[in-house]
Amino acid sequence: MSKIFFVLGKSCSGKDTIFQFLKENRELNLKTVVGYTTRPMRQGETEGVEYHFVSKERLQEMKDMSKVIECRDYNTVHGIWSYFTADDGQIDLGKGDYLYIGTLESYNDMVKYYGRDFVVPLYIEVENGERLERAVRRERKQEQPKYAELCRRFLADEEDFKEENLKNAGIVRRYINDNIDCCIEEIVRTIKEYKD
């Protein structure tokens, strides 16, 4: 039975690095899904690579056709930008396994759409003090560090990923990322177990 392996975790847990490794691992042969956004394309981005860039009207059309699997709206200084996943034929559970990265909310929506048997959570966890140190180190490298935003994200993650929410989502297993190589090895073993 095909699966969607869903990487999720708090900011600075290493989930993007882990996702990239899993994506490039030819032995796992996981297909990825290109998401959609209503935000403008940035310089250096390519349609259909980072995202499918669509208008708010197109998003509404897809919602009206019940093609939107999950959608997250962010109120930015430029207005509301939506990021979403659509049932557009990219995911065909009869034709292999998939890799996806998202939030706890998008994980719950994916489970609601495809069913718990098809979506496997890969929840990456890092001790909070270490995660905060990583976030500060990363932010310090920016041309104009935004420490207030870092703090806002950190606190929002604490609320979003509280134990009650993880329990309600049915997420029990955690992949502790205090050593990225060991963490990746454990995740790869899990994926192979599901694929066998």
Side-chain angles (χ1 to χ4, degrees), residues 155-195:
L155 294 173
D157 280 346
E158 286 304 292
E159 182 62 26
D160 293 345
F161 288 96
K162 63 186 177 185
E163 286 302 316
E164 178 184 347
N165 294 347
L166 292 171
K167 183 180 176 187
N168 290 339
I171 296 174
V172 178
R173 188 163 186 183
R174 287 118 196 276
Y175 298 87
I176 308 302
N177 185 13
D178 53 7
N179 177 309
I180 195 150
D181 294 329
C182 293
C183 185
I184 288 171
E185 273 181 38
E186 186 181 356
I187 291 170
V188 168
R189 273 196 307 273
T190 297
I191 292 172
K192 286 180 176 178
E193 286 167 13
Y194 276 99
K195 288 170 75 69

Side-chain angles (χ1 to χ4, degrees), residues 6 15 33-39 50-51 59 63 68-76 79-86 100-110 160:
F6 198 108
K15 63 186 179 296
V33 179
V34 178
Y36 288 76
T37 184
T38 60
R39 76 157 168 77
E50 290 82 12
Y51 291 100
L59 167 57
K63 283 181 176 179
V68 175
I69 297 169
E70 59 88 21
C71 183
R72 293 148 282 129
D73 297 320
Y74 298 97
N75 194 358
T76 75
I80 294 176
W81 288 346
S82 300
Y83 293 80
F84 63 100
T85 309
Y100 198 84
I101 187 169
T103 63
L104 184 59
E105 181 183 0
S106 59
Y107 167 78
N108 285 328
D109 288 341
M110 195 76 83
D160 293 345

Side-chain angles (χ1 to χ4, degrees), residues 1-7 19 22-23 28-34 89-101 110 114 118-120 122 191 195:
M1 181 188 308
S2 295
K3 301 290 184 190
I4 300 167
F5 295 99
F6 198 108
V7 178
F19 175 85
L22 298 173
K23 178 181 170 183
L28 295 177
N29 192 30
L30 300 173
K31 300 172 186 170
T32 55
V33 179
V34 178
Q90 289 186 73
I91 298 175
D92 182 345
L93 291 173
K95 294 186 177 176
D97 298 300
Y98 294 83
L99 181 66
Y100 198 84
I101 187 169
M110 195 76 83
Y114 287 105
F118 294 97
V119 187
V120 177
L122 302 172
I191 292 172
K195 288 170 75 69

Side-chain angles (χ1 to χ4, degrees), residues 18-59:
I18 291 168
F19 175 85
Q20 198 60 38
F21 177 87
L22 298 173
K23 178 181 170 183
E24 293 169 3
N25 186 318
R26 290 177 184 255
E27 185 184 356
L28 295 177
N29 192 30
L30 300 173
K31 300 172 186 170
T32 55
V33 179
V34 178
Y36 288 76
T37 184
T38 60
R39 76 157 168 77
M41 191 184 308
R42 295 176 182 144
Q43 188 174 351
E45 289 182 324
T46 304
E47 162 59 31
V49 176
E50 290 82 12
Y51 291 100
H52 292 293
F53 297 91
V54 298
S55 66
K56 291 176 186 174
E57 293 75 22
R58 179 65 182 138
L59 167 57

Side-chain angles (χ1 to χ4, degrees), residues 133-149:
E133 285 179 21
R134 289 180 187 182
V136 170
R137 280 195 305 268
R138 184 169 75 180
E139 197 62 33
R140 196 173 277 141
K141 293 176 184 174
Q142 301 302 311
E143 194 172 304
Q144 293 183 338
K146 296 179 173 67
Y147 295 112
E149 174 60 15

Side-chain angles (χ1 to χ4, degrees), residues 10 12 126-137 154 158:
K10 298 173 184 175
C12 289
V126 172
E127 186 272 326
N128 276 337
E130 173 62 27
R131 196 167 63 81
L132 186 56
E133 285 179 21
R134 289 180 187 182
V136 170
R137 280 195 305 268
F154 187 87
E158 286 304 292

